[in-house]
Amino acid sequence: MKRKSLVVVPLPDFETEIGRWIWCLEDVRRTIVEKISGISQQHLDAKQTGHSIGSLLYHIAFIEADWLYEDVLGCEWNPKILSFFPQEDRNQDGTLTQIEGQNLDEHLHRLQSVRDELLFHFRSMDMEDWRSSRNLTHYDVSPEWVIYHLIEHESHHRGQIFEMLSNLMGRT
């Protein structure tokens, strides 16, 4: 059995501390991608507890892009990234928009495209910018906090996805 190495290793091409946080963000994504690899369209679209795995994957990518453009960069969304989101993230009642019929490759491509955009912008960030608050209408937020929040957000939904998969696999 291969010995595991349970350490956080800063990603290259980032300031060291930023690279550690980005490694954590990437590790959460890695575990999701490994777990959903090869799941069926039926499992992606199956609505459980109000939403589907596909809806959660769409939501994860949408929220990551939103925090990047609206809060960290304070600019309009890259049109290419915006094109991945033809629907709003939530319905008028606050529930997640049900996403159906998009295959796993489409979900993974959207997730990776948003992540590539985030990595591109954070790769050039120095420690001063990393910790500098953006003064927005309703709150102040630093890129450091955004990455913390994205780790927390994606980890939460990872747990939901894993539970949903477990329920689905138990039924098949």
Side-chain angles (χ1 to χ4, degrees):
M1 177 183 270
K2 185 179 176 188
R3 183 175 174 85
K4 289 184 178 183
S5 178
L6 303 174
V7 296
V8 174
V9 178
L11 294 180
D13 302 327
F14 291 87
E15 287 276 349
T16 303
E17 183 175 339
I18 298 169
R20 289 180 191 284
W21 282 89
I22 299 295
W23 182 94
C24 295
L25 185 67
E26 289 281 78
D27 192 59
V28 174
R29 176 67 53 83
R30 179 189 58 76
T31 61
I32 292 174
V33 170
E34 284 176 1
K35 191 77 164 183
I36 64 174
S37 179
I39 68 170
S40 69
Q41 189 67 47
Q42 180 182 358
H43 287 161
L44 274 173
D45 292 345
K47 195 170 181 181
Q48 299 182 56
T49 62
H51 46 266
S52 66
I53 291 171
S55 296
L56 285 172
L57 295 174
Y58 187 93
H59 171 72
I60 289 167
F62 185 97
I63 294 303
E64 185 169 316
D66 188 63
W67 279 102
L68 174 64
Y69 291 113
E70 303 294 328
D71 299 277
V72 173
L73 300 176
C75 67
E76 297 291 320
W77 289 37
N78 175 330
K80 177 186 168 207
I81 298 299
L82 188 59
S83 73
F84 289 117
F85 301 100
Q87 300 179 62
E88 286 296 323
D89 177 50
R90 293 189 178 271
N91 300 309
Q92 287 186 339
D93 65 1
T95 59
L96 293 182
T97 300
Q98 179 65 16
I99 304 298
E100 293 179 342
Q102 293 185 357
N103 66 41
L104 183 59
D105 287 341
E106 290 173 290
H107 285 291
L108 294 176
H109 180 67
R110 177 178 31 253
L111 285 162
Q112 190 59 55
S113 295
V114 171
R115 180 58 53 85
D116 288 345
E117 186 79 356
L118 182 138
L119 296 176
F120 172 78
H121 290 286
F122 276 78
R123 191 172 280 116
S124 62
M125 195 172 285
D126 62 24
M127 291 305 294
E128 183 178 346
D129 195 22
W130 169 250
R131 292 209 170 105
S132 293
S133 288
R134 277 58 172 162
N135 303 92
L136 306 173
T137 304
H138 300 290
Y139 52 85
D140 298 334
V141 65
S142 69
E144 180 179 36
W145 188 91
V146 167
I147 295 299
Y148 156 74
H149 178 67
L150 290 174
I151 292 167
E152 177 184 55
H153 179 259
E154 194 160 331
S155 294
H156 171 75
H157 292 308
R158 174 183 63 185
Q160 290 177 305
I161 290 168
F162 287 10
E163 184 175 347
M164 292 167 80
L165 280 172
S166 178
N167 292 339
L168 288 166
M169 299 305 178
R171 286 193 265 174
T172 57

